[in-house]
Amino acid sequence: MDLGIKRRKALVCAASKGLGKACAMSLAREGVDVTIVARTAGPLADTAEEIRKAADVHVTAVATDITTPEGRAEALAACPAPDILVNNAGGPPPGDFRDWDRDIWIKALDANMLTPIELIKATVDHMIERRFGRVVNITSAAVKAPIDILGLSNGARAGLTGFVAGLARKTVRHNVTINALLPGPFDTDRLRSNLQVVADNAGRPVEEVARERADGNPAGRFGDPAEFGEACAFLCAAQAGYITGQNILLDGGAFPGTL
Ligand code: NAP
């Protein structure tokens, strides 16, 4: 299926590894020119090269912290009017809410709620003018079913989800959609470090905890980031203009609800 987005421009945040990288790769394979952002220059340059080898597109790498105003300005200078915006950033650390002061909360809100909102604000009017725009927010399965040790993520992402629910119904008239992909457990560095925390707390080997978690998923495994990237590319397709304001779970069926 041709997704009809060749030569479109995408800004993909937090994209040197994991889910962001997979989204950038899938978009590039559809012929989209991608600007990828991450803080650490080395792995980012490696990912840019990997994408160039896999797809005949322009790849621009911007090594910056997307959760800061300066970082967002740098990313937008490199890709001022994207047709596609993939919002992503590192997730907040796990812990007990009794240990979190205001500064810790503000950091989580900045990364996982206010940064995506700022980037939408900076790009959505250009999309509306061109009558094409696709925004995909990478949030978390925690938006549907909270994860106890990830209270910062539960809170910040729910805030973003509520805001987007309103805006997505305003922009769709102009063929600008805003949706969220909610990852369950995908096999990335982030998942591995969360499993390490669980294993350390329980005094168990991380491999054992990982195996148990994977087995406990209805699919019997963790998700492959490439599967996530392909779902992102579809939401960005020309054909996906009637899908907006949706929160799509990719969790192997782990969420137990009928709907
Ligand atoms: P990952 O494998 O650790 O990759 C994170 C990527 O984001 C890296 O490229 C990292 O590069 C970049 N990054 C982190 N903070 C950044 C910042 N402030 N500015 C720019 N780039 C930044 O993580 P992942 O598993 O793909 O997770 C992506 C998002 O999905 C996270 O918010 C995570 O909480 C959420 N999520 C993941 C899962 C899962 O199972 N994997 C499940 C639910 C939710 P640098 O460190 O060099 O900046």
Side-chain angles (χ1 to χ4, degrees):
M1 179 176 180
D2 179 351
L3 300 187
I5 48 178
K6 273 190 191 62
R7 297 272 79 88
R8 293 280 182 194
K9 292 184 180 8
L11 174 58
V12 187
C13 304
S16 66
K17 293 194 290 185
L19 304 180
K21 174 183 173 179
C23 293
M25 183 61 90
S26 290
L27 288 168
R29 288 208 169 105
E30 291 301 323
V32 175
D33 293 329
V34 292
T35 298
I36 57 172
V37 182
R39 292 165 301 181
T40 320
L44 182 68
D46 291 347
T47 294
E49 204 40 42
E50 201 181 320
I51 297 173
R52 281 185 201 108
K53 283 192 180 129
D56 182 20
V57 297
H58 296 291
V59 183
T60 307
V62 184
T64 194
D65 184 340
I66 199 68
T67 67
T68 64
E70 303 75 31
R72 288 190 289 278
E74 278 180 64
L76 289 166
C79 186
D83 305 293
I84 293 166
L85 169 65
V86 179
N87 278 313
N88 187 28
D96 184 321
F97 84 95
R98 291 170 189 82
D99 300 328
W100 298 332
D101 59 19
R102 181 179 166 77
D103 287 348
I104 292 176
W105 269 108
I106 296 294
K107 203 162 177 239
L109 292 173
D110 259 342
N112 298 116
M113 178 182 172
L114 300 176
T115 290
I117 292 173
E118 289 285 349
L119 288 171
I120 292 170
K121 185 170 118 186
T123 56
V124 79
D125 288 330
H126 300 293
M127 294 178 183
I128 287 172
E129 272 165 32
R130 289 195 304 276
R131 294 196 63 79
F132 180 89
R134 300 286 183 260
V135 179
V136 176
N137 296 321
I138 299 180
T139 63
S140 172
V143 169
K144 266 198 94 107
I147 300 168
D148 60 355
I149 57 167
L150 292 177
L152 290 166
S153 172
N154 300 338
R157 297 186 199 279
L160 174 65
T161 304
F163 167 74
V164 161
L167 183 63
R169 271 87 187 175
K170 302 281 251 185
T171 60
V172 66
R173 185 169 292 267
H174 308 284
N175 191 26
V176 176
T177 66
I178 315 178
N179 292 289
L181 287 175
L182 282 55
F186 275 81
D187 202 349
T188 65
D189 288 2
R190 159 89 178 169
L191 178 75
R192 294 278 160 190
S193 64
N194 282 345
L195 289 174
Q196 190 68 57
V197 173
V198 175
D200 290 348
N201 287 344
R204 297 174 61 201
V206 67
E207 302 76 29
E208 193 180 292
V209 172
R211 203 164 39 246
E212 197 175 277
R213 279 287 173 91
D215 275 352
N217 186 285
R221 63 178 178 87
F222 296 134
D224 178 343
E227 295 173 295
F228 191 92
E230 294 291 271
C232 175
F234 181 73
L235 281 182
C236 297
Q239 298 91 327
Y242 209 54
I243 306 173
T244 200
Q246 299 305 301
N247 292 282
I248 299 167
L249 262 178
L250 285 84
D251 70 347
F255 181 74
T258 304
L259 293 173

